[in-house]
Amino acid sequence: MLNSVGGNENINSVIHCVTRLRFKLKDHQLPDKEQIKQIDGVITVVESGGQFQVVIGNEVPKVYEALLETMGVKPDQARQEEQNNEKSGLFSRFVDVISGVFMPVVGVLAAVGILKGLLALCTSLGWMTDQMGTYKILYATADAMFYFFPVILGFSAGKKFGGNPYLSAVLGAALVYPTITSAFTDKTALSFLTIPVVLINYTSSVIPIIIAAFLAAKVEKMISKYAPASIKMFIVPFLTLVIISPIVFLVVGPIATIVSDGLAKGSMWIYQLSPAVAGLVLAGFWQGIIIFGLHWAFIPILLNNVVTNGFDPINGMLFCTTFAQTGAAFAIALKSRDPKLKPIATSATIAGLMGVTEPAIYGVTLPAKKPFILASIAAGIAGATAGLLGSTAYGFASGGVFGIPLFINPKGIDAGFIGFIISLVVAFVLGFILTYLFGYKNAKPAPEIKVADESKEEEKMVFSPLNGELIPLTAVNDEAFSSGAMGQGAAVIPKDGVAYAPFNGTVVTVFKTKHAIGLISEEGVELLIHIGINTVSLKGKHFTSFVSEGDTIQKGDKLVEFDQEAIVSEGYDITTSIIVTNTAVYTDIIVENTKDVHAGDHLLKIK
């Protein structure tokens, strides 16, 4: 994957979220999207918010660690380097900041929210009372993150802004310090150097500490430039705290609180205009917003509603969207006779029920287009149902069945929760029915690819696509080919710049850079013709393709022309690898020629 995105030198930074690797690249033209999509485990590639995003799914943390190891970069260093990214648009930078601050805490937020929901369920059913020691301990565990949110968010924001995260965590702790909280509760007047302090309850607040962490990081860096090395260890944090803490209490806190209250009241005002219309529009477009990674811009509003009002009706309308896409994937899983698509749709359905919809969207509904649209329509109808029936979130909920308890009112199960359950059923069932009846046609199964029948030892032939000097694949100066990792075959050093079809068959893939072509013969031999080494970096320069994906070819048809002199003059090795990519299904692959070959000569005999 590293080479496919342009190598180390093209990466400004890379982080990951729940399902995606998020690259900040210097040159967005270098990555080979098609090559990346063919990597085992990669679902798709998305470019959004100034990021090059590789969607992987639940295994993304392992892939991220392996990538950093290959790059020779430590995880903390990868996040620190993000501040050196190229400048991007204001909105892209805003989305980047929000995702960087909240991403590390989203999982824990969902976990404690689920715990609070389960406790509410237990008290509603009479299994517990709020006076029981068990309840109090578990509730303290669940509520602690929300109460001390400025501390936790301060640490996360400090890391994102490149400051000392412990400094910003201390600023967050100061905001919720008992003396400050008691002063607000008791209405005790406070002043700083005779300047009156506006009393505010900062427990569970979001915006003040993010701004405070940003300012602290800037001040800390400025002081570090001038502080003597001998006392820098303590003088920098000391001066930073002394300068920023009063600013936070006197200026940042009051202003940020006004903004926070305004966001909460504004979102509630829009919601109250027509909950049904708000649900129809927001839920209908929500999965499209997620595709472009723009949902992070909504996270502060959803969280702010919870901590300011104690509830959030917006997430109450959005939660059903994952069930709509999952229902559509389930319909395709049941209806499809495609041996490749059916298991993908089945696993995507299970992942969707767990709250991860990327496999369903990118692997099933979006490629087919109509199922994604129909599922979005189902989501809009379900969102309108949720809005009409008063569905409300009482915590920050991630998708899936495990997030359902977050929608139970702490006072007990109410009409809003029942409406919420109805919206999930509507989303899943409607997404399923619309897709099954109108969204997916399965009149004939996917084309069957012929594979070798080892019992008959049938021989298949691949002819040379080039004129040139034949060399062993092991002699190619590229480990991916010479090691045989991509399959067995041979290599040719071309004498002229034309590649011809090596058999009768079909064009499977033409890379956008035109330097590589994937073919499949009528007998089922899958072949990759890769012209040159690292020629992907030429981005198609010096190459002319004469075929497109899906074209039927006959042996000897011209596939591609390339100016080999120009390619060599730019410092590239022109050696062309000819690989049988489905080597594993055959008994033996024999190179049929030696030294000089001509286009059309026997090259590989396959048994």
Side-chain angles (χ1 to χ4, degrees):
M1 184 182 295
L2 184 59
N3 290 334
S4 298
V5 297
N8 259 19
E9 60 276 7
N10 193 41
I11 300 175
N12 278 324
S13 68
V14 57
I15 58 175
H16 76 88
C17 58
V18 180
T19 56
R20 312 180 189 197
L21 290 174
R22 295 171 176 265
F23 291 90
K24 284 294 186 70
L25 303 177
K26 295 174 183 175
D27 186 348
H28 282 259
Q29 301 301 315
L30 284 183
D32 190 330
K33 288 186 181 179
E34 295 305 318
Q35 192 175 70
I36 295 172
K37 288 178 183 178
Q38 291 185 11
I39 297 174
D40 187 29
V42 172
I43 298 172
T44 192
V45 174
V46 179
E47 288 191 75
S48 176
Q51 295 178 336
F52 186 86
Q53 304 171 8
V54 181
V55 183
I56 293 171
N58 294 332
E59 297 299 314
V60 69
K62 295 178 182 177
V63 177
Y64 177 71
E65 290 178 8
L67 177 67
L68 292 189
E69 185 176 343
T70 304
M71 294 170 63
V73 177
K74 295 180 180 179
D76 286 344
Q77 181 183 350
R79 291 187 180 275
Q80 288 291 333
E81 286 177 354
E82 219 180 336
Q83 61 187 305
N84 299 321
N85 288 351
E86 60 184 341
K87 292 183 179 179
S88 55
L90 185 61
F91 182 74
S92 295
R93 293 169 66 185
F94 170 73
V95 171
D96 176 61
V97 167
I98 294 302
S99 63
V101 170
F102 286 100
M103 198 184 299
V105 301
V106 164
V108 184
L109 270 173
V112 297
I114 291 170
L115 181 54
K116 290 185 79 170
L118 290 174
L119 288 173
L121 178 63
C122 289
T123 55
S124 297
L125 298 176
W127 298 344
M128 282 187 183
T129 69
D130 58 8
Q131 298 304 310
M132 294 173 63
T134 302
Y135 177 90
K136 290 181 177 179
I137 290 172
L138 291 176
Y139 188 83
T141 303
D143 196 50
M145 183 165 187
F146 291 100
Y147 188 91
F148 296 105
F149 204 29
V151 182
I152 297 165
L153 209 55
F155 187 89
S156 179
K159 291 187 72 174
K160 173 61 185 175
F161 294 127
N164 183 338
Y166 297 97
L167 267 179
S168 48
V170 168
L171 288 171
L175 289 174
V176 296
Y177 190 70
T179 302
I180 302 299
T181 305
S182 297
F184 169 80
T185 304
D186 302 335
K187 295 182 170 51
T188 304
L190 288 179
S191 64
F192 182 83
L193 298 178
T194 72
I195 303 172
V197 176
V198 178
L199 294 175
I200 295 170
N201 184 6
Y202 291 106
T203 58
S204 302
S205 60
V206 175
I207 298 177
I209 187 56
I210 295 178
I211 298 174
F214 173 76
L215 295 176
K218 295 295 183 183
V219 171
E220 181 188 353
K221 291 172 185 175
M222 183 177 65
I223 295 173
S224 294
K225 290 182 181 179
Y226 303 102
S230 58
I231 59 173
K232 181 179 288 188
M233 183 181 71
F234 67 86
I235 199 65
V236 172
F238 169 75
L239 291 177
T240 302
L241 290 173
V242 169
I243 293 170
I244 295 299
S245 183
I247 293 175
V248 170
F249 280 101
L250 293 171
V251 182
V252 172
I255 293 176
T257 301
I258 291 172
V259 173
S260 179
D261 290 342
L263 283 173
K265 291 177 181 177
S267 61
M268 288 300 297
W269 178 77
I270 294 172
Y271 167 76
Q272 289 168 355
L273 285 176
S274 176
V277 173
L280 178 68
V281 174
L282 286 174
F285 288 98
W286 186 244
Q287 290 299 325
I289 290 171
I290 289 177
I291 286 175
F292 292 102
L294 303 179
H295 57 297
W296 285 105
F298 292 82
I299 298 302
I301 298 174
L302 305 183
L303 267 175
N304 185 68
N305 284 343
V306 173
V307 299
T308 303
N309 303 322
F311 59 89
D312 172 38
I314 296 178
N315 213 0
M317 300 181 296
L318 298 178
F319 196 85
C320 64
T321 60
T322 62
F323 286 80
Q325 293 293 333
T326 303
F330 184 48
I332 294 174
L334 290 183
K335 193 174 184 180
S336 177
R337 296 195 297 274
D338 187 327
K340 289 186 176 180
L341 179 59
K342 195 176 187 71
I344 293 173
T346 301
S347 62
T349 301
I350 297 171
L353 291 173
M354 298 299 106
V356 179
T357 52
E358 274 84 354
I361 293 173
Y362 295 118
V364 184
T365 63
L366 192 59
K369 297 182 179 65
K370 191 180 286 186
F372 179 81
I373 295 171
L374 292 174
S376 295
I377 292 172
I381 294 171
T385 303
L388 195 62
L389 298 177
S391 302
T392 301
Y394 295 93
F396 184 76
S398 59
V401 294
F402 293 113
I404 292 176
L406 284 162
F407 296 84
I408 300 174
N409 191 320
K411 296 178 181 179
I413 294 175
D414 57 9
F417 179 71
I418 295 172
F420 167 72
I421 296 297
I422 291 173
S423 74
L424 300 190
V425 174
V426 169
F428 186 88
V429 172
L430 197 56
F432 175 87
I433 292 174
L434 289 176
T435 302
Y436 196 91
L437 295 180
F438 310 110
Y440 182 74
K441 293 182 179 180
N442 202 22
K444 57 181 180 179
E448 183 178 339
I449 297 175
K450 298 178 182 178
V451 297
D453 185 344
E454 295 180 11
S455 63
K456 295 182 179 179
E457 290 292 323
E458 295 177 344
E459 292 185 357
K460 301 169 176 57
M461 187 61 61
V462 173
F463 300 92
S464 176
L466 300 154
N467 298 314
E469 179 186 350
L470 180 66
I471 64 172
L473 194 60
T474 53
V476 176
N477 190 27
D478 188 322
E479 189 176 351
F481 299 130
S482 62
S483 66
M486 296 188 67
Q488 298 300 311
V492 174
I493 302 173
K495 288 185 177 177
D496 53 46
V498 185
Y500 302 92
F503 45 53
N504 298 338
T506 305
V507 178
V508 177
T509 304
V510 178
F511 287 79
K512 68 176 183 179
T513 50
K514 307 183 185 86
H515 74 291
I517 297 178
L519 309 171
I520 183 168
S521 75
E522 292 177 343
E523 298 171 311
V525 177
E526 297 176 17
L527 197 75
L528 172 69
I529 301 173
H530 192 285
I531 302 169
I533 298 174
N534 295 325
T535 45
V536 63
S537 301
L538 291 170
K539 296 183 283 189
K541 189 167 69 168
H542 308 313
F543 291 88
T544 303
S545 176
F546 293 90
V547 291
S548 302
E549 184 176 322
D551 286 355
T552 299
I553 53 172
Q554 299 295 315
K555 175 178 171 288
D557 287 351
K558 186 186 294 187
L559 299 177
V560 62
E561 286 186 354
F562 51 96
D563 188 339
Q564 66 181 66
E565 290 184 4
I567 294 171
V568 171
S569 69
E570 293 205 30
Y572 292 92
D573 186 336
I574 199 63
T575 301
T576 298
S577 299
I578 301 141
I579 310 287
V580 178
T581 54
N582 60 340
T583 292
V585 302
Y586 297 111
T587 304
D588 199 7
I589 295 175
I590 303 168
V591 179
E592 278 275 279
N593 219 315
T594 57
K595 276 298 181 183
D596 292 339
V597 292
H598 297 89
D601 287 353
H602 285 187
L603 182 67
L604 302 174
K605 183 166 68 176
I606 302 172
K607 296 182 178 181

